[in-house]
Amino acid sequence: MSEVALSCRSVRKSFVTGNGPVLALDNLNVDLLADTFTAIVGPSGCGKSTLLHIIAGLDSDYLGELEWHTDNSRIGYLFQQPRLLPWMNIAQNVAFVLEPRGHSRSEATETAMQYLKLVGLEGFEQSYPTQLSGGMQQRAAMARALAMEPEVMLMDEPLGSLDELTARRMRAELLRLFEDRPRTVLFITHNVTEAAFLADQVIVMSGRPGRVTAQIPVDLPKPRDYDDPRIAAIAHEIVRNLHLDE
Ligand code: ADP
Ligand code: MG
């Protein structure tokens, strides 16, 4: 059993809007295990991105406690949108986050090339973001987040904009990457099969205000087969816990 890397206790978050307060998260309790891949699945608008913002330290306006038991000074964050800098080519977009971390320019470029290759963008290093499709931009953003080799990696629906064939390849790469070098990962997805395929544990959230309705371990050996009936069975269990018919 892995150690707890982060405990979220009784997290409650409301937004003030023109139509009054919106309660996004209410009494949310989550444990992230160290060096473990945790997927979060929940209906749209249930507060998943809000939770990621809070964990990343981008939003401190909430109630409840976050207790870190691991080094959280290096958190990688992959947003739903790629957020690349348009005036840099994609190799520069990846390399520029490495130089302030003590890499020389040539080391940073070499590392950038490795990670761009990993996400299938070999040959596009000199392209600018606007010259690439949305899915390619998202893969470049993933290379940038992975290249920082953060201890804690937060990923917000990173494969949602990819075509299914590319997404399958990326899922297999991610599984292999985190198997080779385990990290504490929190991965949001609305794809239940993707969650079952990638994760060591799946957290299912209710509709807004988001709470945890189930925590499902995935004890299948890796590498995994996306079409394995055991993955489908876990995906089915996730769906049952989403209570879509209520
Ligand atoms: P999810 O990522 O699960 O789709 P979000 O965390 O983005 O959901 O949003 C949860 C709820 O909080 C939604 O009802 C959304 O409209 C609301 N919300 C999110 N951000 C803001 C904001 N900045 N201001 C007001 N309401 C917000
Ligand atoms: Mg979201």
Side-chain angles (χ1 to χ4, degrees), residues 7 10 50 62 87 92 96 105 113 120 127 135-136 140 148 160 163 204 214-215 220 235 238:
S7 299
S10 308
T50 301
Y62 61 91
W87 60 88
Q92 291 165 331
F96 101 102
R105 174 149 305 180
M113 298 301 182
S127 302
M136 291 164 94
M148 288 166 57
D163 66 86
V204 185
Q215 203 150 339
L220 298 176
I238 297 169

Side-chain angles (χ1 to χ4, degrees), residues 48-49 80 156-157:
K48 302 182 295 297
S49 297
Q80 269 180 288
D156 197 345
E157 303 199 23

Side-chain angles (χ1 to χ4, degrees), residues 148-208:
M148 288 166 57
E149 302 195 337
E151 287 308 317
V152 178
M153 183 82 177
L154 308 175
M155 304 166 106
D156 197 345
E157 303 199 23
L159 308 181
S161 62
L162 303 185
D163 66 86
E164 183 52 25
L165 288 179
T166 309
R168 276 193 177 225
R169 244 204 59 222
M170 293 296 301
R171 288 178 201 125
E173 286 292 354
L174 286 175
L175 197 67
R176 196 175 52 75
L177 188 85
F178 292 120
E179 182 68 355
D180 290 351
R181 168 77 174 79
R183 288 181 210 162
T184 307
V185 182
L186 186 55
F187 182 100
I188 293 177
T189 177
H190 54 251
N191 181 330
V192 292
T193 308
E194 178 172 291
F197 175 75
L198 285 171
D200 303 308
Q201 66 162 348
V202 179
I203 290 170
V204 185
M205 281 174 70
S206 64
R208 188 167 63 78

Side-chain angles (χ1 to χ4, degrees), residues 221-240:
K222 299 171 193 166
R224 296 173 179 169
D225 174 0
Y226 200 69
D227 301 312
D228 185 332
R230 293 175 297 177
I231 300 274
I234 289 166
H236 186 67
E237 193 182 342
I238 297 169
V239 171
R240 271 198 306 109

